[in-house]
Amino acid sequence: MAKKMTPTQKSEAKWGLLFVAPTIIGLVLLNIYPIVNTIWQSFCKTGDFGKGNKFVGLLNYQNALANTETWQSLWNTIKYALIEVPFGVVIALLLAVLLNKKIAGRSIYRTIFFLPMVCAPAAVAMVWKWLYNTQFGLLNNIFHSKVAWISDPKIAWISIGVIGVWSIIGYNMVLFIGGLQEIPGDYYEAADIDGASGVRQFFSITVPLLSPTTFFIVQTRIIGALTIFDLMFMVMDKTNVALPKVQSIVYLFYDYAFTKGNKGYGATLVVILLVFILLLTWILQTAEKKLVYHN
Amino acid sequence: MESAIAKARMRKTVTHIILIIVSFIMLVPFAWMILTALKTTQESISVNPFFIFPHNGWHWENFATVWKSYNFLVLYKNTLLMIFFRVVCAVLTATMAGYAFGRLNFPFKKVLFMLVLIQMMVPGQIFIIPQYLMVSKMGMLNTTFGLVFPGLVTAFGTYLLKTGYEGLPKDLEEAAMIDGCNVGQRFLHIMMPLTRSSMVSLGIFTAVFAFKDLMWPMIVCTNANTTTLSAGLAKMQGQYGSEYPTMMAAATLAVLPMVIIYVIFQKQFVEGIATSGGKL
């Protein structure tokens, strides 16, 4: 192949390889090698002080899969996603439809809704933890209640989910507005002439034509929600009795790999997460063909 | 006709009421953060009577206290340096690679682009243990280099810039080719300036992402003098979690710079983060 190249093609090939070189070297070093290395470590027992990895085969996997803590944290992660994704998407869609019309103060509303996106989750979580405080928190003061928002195992996962929804609706909304603006206005004009109501137009025009955007948001948010860490780490103290019923799989990974120094077991947990996410991505891609409206 | 106008007006009013309620919910946590930051500890935990506003003076000095006692200047400096180098590295490498993948033909192009796609498909946590071990072996824990390390190159940015370059018209480059420009000149003088908006988007996205990241700085910069705002907050909460005004003053100081920049450049921010396509 190289022999048949003209001088121009040859020079183009040289420039091309030169231009991708930094990125490719970086990706191999920082991402591809780490994937292989993490998988390798998941078959190893971490020695003292992180030294002397010893190959132990499937032992970490046997331990992880036999441990109810692993399954509980996977379930916790799914429960979090079950709050963040549907509520985050539906509320964002409604807001996007409202803001897509000519309305006074449109950009002010958008600025406010998007605000959590530029705030560090660490700070956001600290504020919400304070709002949720059982004795002195704003929520219990307003409602004259004594709810243990983040330390009652039955409701703590919902409270964390609420922070997740609050944080993400502005972002989802902006993506929805982008999708809405691509729907041609004539569809709605024609529907107006036919006398279709606003609600009817929403379900017959907006929902199907917006489905590629919706699918994209749902898919990326599912993956995002399954790797939730910051909010839980900041809101849930180590001593919180609700922690086992709330901690996500990434939280568990961080705890084992970096607090307890058991990198091998941590690697195992993250490989389990990888398999789970790849499987889900595959399922979603298959579903995409059936669920999304293509012109 | 009149009823139609009344109906439209009614609809507008309802829309505004909904939007105002949601705005209120979005703003309450911020308002409570600032109001708490201005109270004394006693006031902040006073339930009966319960005060929304500080009732014996607004304690602005809480900010000065927290600024000094937690060395916020150092946290700002560390965060800023990390953001600066990550943005420069990301934009530089992604612009070059994006141009090559989008406009040039070279051997192994498809295979090499697969590496970009693989990086984007897997959860980021899978890189962390080996990345940490590398930084640790290089003796670069608790340094700015350690903070920047995972962001030296960007798969997402490469993908974004590739899409940007693919969208440019072909004849521009062909004209330059006839004029005898080589690939490097074509890239530098003609193509790169045309993707400025993609570069700005990537820069903003990279900056916000780096600013928000918590796990990586917590792992590589355990020292309070070398860490970032996010990880610094985690440390503070562990030590002084029940001094609520102090904690809220710290949270305010941590989010304020980014919020101010966002309000000024909100259009670019919203576009920059929205094009990121969920890699957050």
Side-chain angles (χ1 to χ4, degrees):
Chain A
M1 177 183 143
K3 281 173 205 160
K4 280 183 195 163
M5 276 201 229
T6 65
T8 335
Q9 283 172 326
K10 237 184 208 167
S11 122
E12 193 176 314
K14 261 188 221 157
W15 281 100
L17 287 170
L18 184 75
F19 275 18
V20 295
T23 296
I24 296 302
I25 293 169
L27 284 179
V28 170
L29 215 69
L30 292 166
N31 303 116
I32 306 299
Y33 160 73
I35 295 176
V36 179
N37 187 268
T38 297
I39 293 172
W40 161 249
Q41 285 201 51
S42 73
F43 296 109
C44 291
K45 186 179 186 304
T46 311
D48 291 336
F49 309 109
K51 276 175 193 153
N53 280 347
K54 206 178 111 204
F55 185 80
V56 291
L58 290 170
L59 188 68
N60 284 331
Y61 286 91
Q62 281 165 358
N63 287 340
L65 296 177
N67 197 338
T68 48
E69 178 193 51
T70 314
W71 295 103
Q72 182 65 46
S73 72
L74 268 174
W75 176 230
N76 293 341
T77 314
I78 293 169
K79 280 200 299 187
Y80 171 80
L82 285 176
I83 296 180
E84 199 228 88
V85 181
F87 285 97
V89 167
V90 171
I91 296 171
L93 175 59
L94 295 176
L95 292 174
V97 170
L98 293 180
L99 279 189
N100 197 37
K101 298 191 181 107
K102 279 196 191 112
I103 185 165
R106 208 176 144 213
S107 71
I108 297 173
Y109 288 126
R110 193 186 68 167
T111 308
I112 293 173
F113 299 163
F114 200 75
L115 197 56
M117 266 334 272
V118 299
C119 293
V124 166
M126 266 168 70
V127 175
W128 276 91
K129 190 182 181 189
W130 171 225
L131 290 170
Y132 282 142
N133 189 296
T134 313
Q135 280 176 283
F136 318 117
L138 180 66
L139 282 178
N140 277 344
N141 267 313
I142 288 176
F143 299 123
H144 297 288
S145 54
K146 279 278 165 223
V147 181
W149 298 103
I150 50 171
S151 47
D152 181 343
K154 286 200 198 85
I155 53 172
W157 64 281
I158 301 173
S159 303
I160 301 281
V162 168
I163 311 177
V165 173
W166 179 87
S167 304
I168 206 69
I169 47 177
Y171 173 72
N172 290 349
M173 181 196 76
V174 166
L175 293 180
F176 272 129
I177 291 176
L180 285 172
Q181 280 167 353
E182 277 169 27
I183 300 177
D186 343 353
Y187 287 103
Y188 294 102
E189 278 163 31
D192 271 334
I193 293 165
D194 290 346
S197 69
V199 178
R200 179 77 199 279
Q201 289 184 19
F202 176 76
F203 284 106
S204 305
I205 302 172
T206 311
V207 170
L209 287 176
L210 200 61
S211 60
T213 310
T214 312
F215 187 84
F216 173 77
I217 296 173
V218 169
Q219 175 169 335
T220 49
R221 280 326 305 159
I222 289 176
I223 309 292
L226 292 180
T227 54
I228 177 79
F229 168 75
D230 307 14
L231 292 180
M232 287 174 186
F233 181 82
M234 291 299 287
V235 172
M236 307 298 287
D237 287 328
K238 279 263 174 261
T239 52
N240 192 329
V241 288
L243 184 60
K245 294 279 182 192
V246 174
Q247 63 183 353
S248 65
I249 185 83
V250 175
Y251 190 115
L252 206 61
F253 152 75
Y254 174 82
D255 198 34
Y256 274 105
F258 295 102
T259 314
K260 298 184 176 134
N262 193 346
K263 304 269 187 302
Y265 192 76
T268 307
L269 291 175
V270 86
V271 171
I272 292 174
L273 175 72
L274 170 76
V275 171
F276 187 58
I277 283 183
L278 289 182
L279 211 68
L280 207 72
T281 309
W282 178 72
I283 294 171
L284 284 165
Q285 287 303 322
T286 318
E288 199 246 352
K289 291 176 190 102
K290 289 194 178 147
L291 292 175
V292 173
Y293 178 87
H294 294 286
N295 249 346
Chain B
M1 199 62 205
E2 250 173 51
S3 80
I5 294 170
K7 219 174 161 187
R9 192 172 291 163
M10 178 75 184
R11 197 175 284 170
K12 250 191 186 150
T13 315
V14 173
T15 305
H16 274 295
I17 290 172
I18 296 171
L19 291 173
I20 287 168
I21 291 172
V22 179
S23 302
F24 184 75
I25 296 170
M26 296 310 287
L27 289 175
V28 160
F30 292 106
W32 196 238
M33 170 180 81
I34 294 166
L35 287 173
T36 306
L38 295 168
K39 289 175 181 170
T40 61
T41 308
Q42 244 338 290
E43 272 178 290
S44 74
I45 58 170
S46 146
V47 175
N48 212 355
F50 174 66
F51 300 106
I52 291 189
F53 295 97
H55 65 290
N56 49 24
W58 296 45
H59 297 268
W60 294 100
E61 72 275 7
N62 286 348
F63 286 103
T65 315
V66 84
W67 178 275
K68 264 187 238 145
S69 54
Y70 295 106
N71 221 348
F72 256 85
L73 199 63
V74 173
L75 294 180
Y76 277 132
K77 192 197 81 189
N78 296 337
T79 311
L80 198 69
L81 282 174
M82 169 186 69
I83 289 177
F84 174 78
F85 285 114
R86 279 204 185 191
V87 169
V88 169
C89 292
V91 173
L92 204 71
T93 58
T95 303
M96 286 166 56
Y99 173 67
F101 281 123
R103 312 288 302 200
L104 302 177
N105 272 315
F106 54 91
F108 311 114
K109 187 172 161 182
K110 283 213 173 104
V111 183
L112 294 177
F113 195 66
M114 274 298 285
L115 298 182
V116 175
L117 295 178
I118 288 173
Q119 199 275 2
M120 289 170 68
M121 261 170 61
V122 302
Q125 288 76 14
I126 200 156
F127 315 127
I128 289 184
I129 294 177
Q131 283 177 344
Y132 164 78
L133 293 173
M134 285 189 252
V135 173
S136 168
K137 264 188 201 138
M138 287 186 271
M140 286 296 196
L141 294 175
N142 287 307
T143 61
T144 301
F145 176 81
L147 286 174
V148 176
F149 188 65
L152 288 172
V153 296
T154 155
F156 158 71
T158 304
Y159 185 85
L160 181 77
L161 268 298
K162 173 188 176 261
T163 318
Y165 279 109
E166 279 171 347
L168 297 176
K170 255 208 160 97
D171 29 345
L172 273 171
E173 222 177 349
E174 274 162 9
M177 223 160 113
I178 293 162
D179 289 345
C181 289
N182 69 21
V183 178
Q185 289 165 326
R186 259 145 61 195
F187 167 69
L188 213 59
H189 298 300
I190 300 168
M191 304 307 278
M192 198 178 70
L194 293 173
T195 51
R196 203 181 302 147
S197 70
S198 298
M199 288 161 75
V200 170
S201 286
L202 175 62
I204 290 174
F205 167 77
T206 307
V208 174
F209 183 83
F211 170 72
K212 293 173 78 167
D213 194 16
L214 176 66
M215 198 195 276
W216 181 252
M218 272 200 316
I219 292 168
V220 289
C221 289
T222 45
N223 187 324
N225 287 321
T226 58
T227 203
T228 64
L229 285 164
S230 279
L233 284 183
K235 253 190 179 339
M236 290 173 210
Q237 183 173 258
Q239 288 171 320
Y240 306 92
S242 54
E243 287 171 30
Y244 302 109
T246 314
M247 297 319 297
M248 291 304 109
T252 310
L253 287 175
V255 297
L256 204 61
M258 202 51 116
V259 168
I260 292 172
I261 301 171
Y262 159 66
V263 172
I264 298 171
F265 299 104
Q266 48 151 315
K267 194 168 169 279
Q268 288 87 340
F269 258 72
V270 172
E271 274 167 19
I273 300 172
T275 47
S276 72
K279 261 278 170 183
L280 266 182

